[in-house]
Amino acid sequence: DARVTQTPRHKVTEMGQEVTMRCQPILGHNTVFWYRQTMMQGLELLAYFRNRAPLDDSGMPKDRFSAEMPDATLATLKIQPSEPRDSAVYFCASGIRGETQYFGPGTRLLVL
Amino acid sequence: AQSVTQLDSQVPVFEEAPVELRCNYSSSVSVYLFWYVQYPNQGLQLLLKYLSGSTLVKGINGFEAEFNKSQTSFHLRKPSVHISDTAEYFCAVSGVTGGGNKLTFGTGTQLKVEL
């Protein structure tokens, strides 16, 4: 049963620290998405990649967030420096062309 | 751009009763429509999707939804719910142009099934 995996599942850090979240998409999926879920804003698309190339990162705060796909099996989302308002659950999803997206279990981030 | 409205933030229902979760969307282009379910502390799982063709879509766990273009709705239904259906349900829309990649989610409906 192929699944999207995310690490870490939980992260507590202090304001100003760098946070790196990792995602392993389902093998063979060529599209990877990053979402953020908060009580106030709900689910927001931050960025997505097709064949490792960024297609859209308009939902991502550019000054502190960055997303990359070093290879087809790994996507990363970094926050530097982190702020308390970044506290949220971050989801990675993958798919083929994106019509159906398969979500990972999420990384629950708390910035103190 | 697209938007989704889920008017009901919570829907309580007794076990074995029918349920309908409402979803309305707004878009200037043709759309794909989705329903996802999220169980506590888990990611989202696709219940069903409408891409084209028959407007009545059947999904997993006995759920179905009907695409109504004139009313811009995509309501989710189940004829008889189970305790295990307690979860949060999200309706989502994406434009057909661009391959349906950019999902816009509604605010979610918490379905609580009671004995």
Side-chain angles (χ1 to χ4, degrees), chain A residues 9 31 33 35 37 43 45 48 50 56 58 91 97-101 103-105 108, chain B residues 32 34 36 38 41-46 49 51 90 98-103 105-106:
Chain A
R9 292 293 312 277
T31 310
F33 305 83
Y35 291 90
Q37 185 178 35
L43 274 157
L45 176 66
Y48 73 96
R50 170 80 42 80
D56 191 328
S58 59
F91 289 105
R97 297 186 308 277
E99 287 175 354
T100 300
Q101 298 181 24
F103 282 73
R108 190 173 296 270
Chain B
Y32 297 143
F34 306 82
Y36 282 85
Q38 185 178 30
N41 299 316
Q42 294 187 27
L44 279 72
Q45 180 183 4
L46 181 67
K49 61 184 176 183
L51 302 181
F90 292 92
N101 289 291
K102 297 187 71 170
L103 285 179
F105 285 89

Side-chain angles (χ1 to χ4, degrees), chain A residues 40-83:
Chain A
M40 294 300 294
Q41 301 296 326
L43 274 157
E44 306 171 280
L45 176 66
L46 296 176
Y48 73 96
F49 294 75
R50 170 80 42 80
N51 297 323
R52 296 176 54 201
L55 288 190
D56 191 328
D57 61 1
S58 59
M60 203 164 64
K62 300 293 191 302
D63 55 340
R64 298 181 299 108
F65 284 60
S66 62
E68 295 179 343
M69 280 201 75
D71 61 61
T73 65
L74 177 64
T76 62
L77 180 66
K78 291 185 181 180
I79 309 175
Q80 170 61 23
S82 58
E83 297 181 1

